[in-house]
Amino acid sequence: MSTASNDNVRVRFAPSPTGALHIGGARTALYNWLMARGSGGTFVLRIEDTDRERSTPENVEQILDALRWLELDWDEGPYSQFERRERHKEAIERLIEAGVAYRDPATAEDVRAWKAEHGNRGYRGTPKDVEGAAVRLRVPDDGETVVEDVIRGPVSFPNAAQDDFVIARGDGTPLYNLAVAVDDAEMGITDVVRGDEHLSNTPKQVLVLRALGADVPRYAHLPLLHGPDGKKLSKRHGAASVQELRDAGYLPEAVRNYLALLGWGTEDDTTLMSTEELIERFRIERVGRSSAIFDERKLRWMNGRFMRELPLDEYTDAVASHIAAEGIEVGRDALKAACAIAQDKAQTLAEVWPLIRFLFEPPVDDPKAREKFLKPEHLENLRGVRAVLAETEPFDAPTLEERLTAFVEERGLKPKAVYQPLRVAITGTTVSPGIFDSVAALGRERTLERVDAALD
Ligand code: GLU
């Protein structure tokens, strides 16, 4: 399934809108999108909303919202699977007319009894044209249905073990495997890329497609995602949905890079890649078979790298919209100046505001920091620092560094015994951007005010 420039490629992302978009779903969407963008093909979005209770407009919106945030744009859709139900019913009628599907009033209990009698083989019913009977697809007795999977190779499912499965309920509602197969066929899907948990459904979909005389797409079932402890990925591993990643202050481009590497990698194990590079290099056949590990610490690291590389204006925009979501609004120029000194220090957007808030608000009150760094011996140093600050001219970071370093050396002090008290005095906390940058950004007047307040 080489995707390199083949504009016939048609892939789809087909989420069931049951709530937030989880990380596994986001990776599936990304892989499909990369295949489409890398080949000049088409990325179709199909909402599998046949479960009417869970498919609320809010749940659908959450999925679209997450895809938009990830900047995975679709070329067609969103189609609603539910709204296509007449097409599914037509297909069922066609299958019945062709004699490859039949009505069967058998209950679950009848099926069990049949199996008990037939040595647990796949159930084969007897057509009975009664009102309210479910519709089953006739499965061949012999041979096997082989799913040619790009990642796993051929996977065989013996037909004798497969029940004649239900494709429509007694009330005429089409069932999931029928709907997916019909939609994939009618939407001209060439490549189905989805999570491993769907592999057991695939032979049924292949049987429906063959019965319809439709082309069978190529399949790629992606390995499961686990947490660093080897357990199936869940909330306890940290952020589990795209929404949570956004709120935690990750950049979409870093998330795309990280998700791309969950199961896939380049020959030379490149780690940091722009989205253009991902599009260029992604190959579905290089996805591995073993489960991939989602480790939020690695994502944080990667995100920090992307943050450092951002042009300052973009960085400032990203921080502005992140803090705006928390109801914080500050002037653009001041924010940009603050971002300039924090850019190297934060790994997520959420980490930026705590680093720079001292430039916009009075120092925070952290009794632990005060106790530790504003002891009498520190206050002594701080008094000396105050005198230096009062005279430093120009009041910029290089000059401050020069004067304060000289002060530390002359007095034979440990730098930490001078800079931490100063930091606590101006920010209230023990973490901030570089101390000289921080003091310069705060300016002489405010710095001296805060030092005086601390000395009190
Ligand atoms: N609707 C399914 C899900 O959300 C995906 C089905 C498919 O990709 O074929 O898991």
Side-chain angles (χ1 to χ4, degrees), residues 12 14-16 48 176 180 194 198:
R12 84 310 193 266
S16 306
E48 303 208 316
Y176 175 71
V180 171
R194 60 187 173 198
H198 291 285

Side-chain angles (χ1 to χ4, degrees), residues 101-383:
Y102 61 93
R103 289 187 215 282
D104 177 7
T107 61
E109 206 170 300
D110 297 335
V111 172
R112 261 196 301 275
W114 188 95
K115 289 191 165 196
E117 208 177 297
H118 292 79
N120 257 337
R121 280 199 294 126
Y123 171 73
R124 300 290 178 266
T126 313
K128 238 184 237 146
D129 212 354
V130 290
E131 193 62 24
V135 180
R136 290 178 185 272
L137 190 85
R138 188 167 290 299
V139 175
D141 286 323
D142 307 315
E144 38 196 32
T145 299
V146 180
V147 175
E148 295 290 349
D149 191 278
V150 177
I151 296 167
R152 298 168 153 253
V155 189
S156 301
F157 297 86
N159 291 329
Q162 177 76 263
D163 290 342
D164 282 2
F165 53 96
V166 176
I167 55 174
R169 289 204 193 90
D171 64 4
T173 323
L175 262 80
Y176 175 71
N177 285 312
L178 180 283
V180 171
V182 170
D183 289 352
D184 285 342
E186 293 188 2
M187 293 176 186
I189 300 302
T190 56
D191 300 274
V192 170
V193 176
R194 60 187 173 198
D196 233 359
E197 68 276 17
H198 291 285
L199 181 64
S200 59
N201 280 326
T202 309
K204 293 184 187 170
Q205 294 170 18
V206 169
L207 286 164
V208 172
L209 288 163
R210 292 223 178 101
L212 287 167
D215 287 340
V216 177
R218 285 161 296 208
Y219 290 96
H221 289 92
L222 307 174
L224 281 178
L225 292 186
H226 287 176
D229 58 359
K231 303 219 170 87
K232 200 170 173 270
L233 193 61
S234 72
K235 258 309 308 155
R236 72 167 178 260
H237 297 111
S241 70
V242 171
Q243 279 79 0
E244 285 168 314
L245 294 179
R246 176 190 58 202
D247 296 346
Y250 293 103
L251 301 173
E253 191 171 25
V255 173
R256 289 194 294 274
N257 187 165
Y258 186 67
L259 291 181
L261 295 175
L262 294 179
W264 170 78
T266 61
E267 282 86 3
D268 58 359
D269 280 329
T270 310
T271 314
L272 293 169
M273 280 175 275
S274 67
T275 299
E276 291 69 41
E277 204 174 353
L278 292 177
I279 291 172
E280 173 77 18
R281 301 184 72 171
F282 182 78
R283 292 288 177 276
I284 192 75
E285 15 328 61
R286 278 193 55 82
V287 173
R289 291 180 193 206
S290 42
S291 65
I293 305 237
F294 175 83
D295 183 346
E296 199 176 336
R297 286 169 313 175
K298 291 201 178 133
L299 172 59
R300 285 183 82 81
W301 168 83
M302 189 172 278
N303 198 69
R305 295 292 300 262
F306 275 85
M307 294 210 0
R308 251 176 284 165
E309 301 294 318
L310 277 185
L312 184 56
D313 272 304
E314 274 179 49
Y315 188 96
T316 308
D317 289 343
V319 171
S321 62
H322 189 84
I323 60 178
E326 288 165 19
I328 304 166
E329 261 178 73
V330 295
R332 163 87 196 177
D333 289 345
L335 184 61
K336 187 171 167 183
C339 285
I341 65 168
Q343 184 159 6
D344 285 354
K345 308 277 181 227
Q347 287 190 313
T348 66
L349 293 171
E351 285 175 6
V352 179
W353 180 249
L355 286 172
I356 60 171
R357 66 186 300 166
F358 75 97
L359 294 169
F360 302 91
E361 294 174 352
V364 296
D365 185 30
D366 177 352
K368 270 206 198 112
R370 266 191 281 125
E371 247 163 63
K372 191 154 176 216
F373 290 108
L374 295 179
K375 292 187 182 143
E377 72 259 33
H378 296 129
L379 295 183
E380 174 65 29
N381 299 340
L382 202 51
R383 246 173 244 119

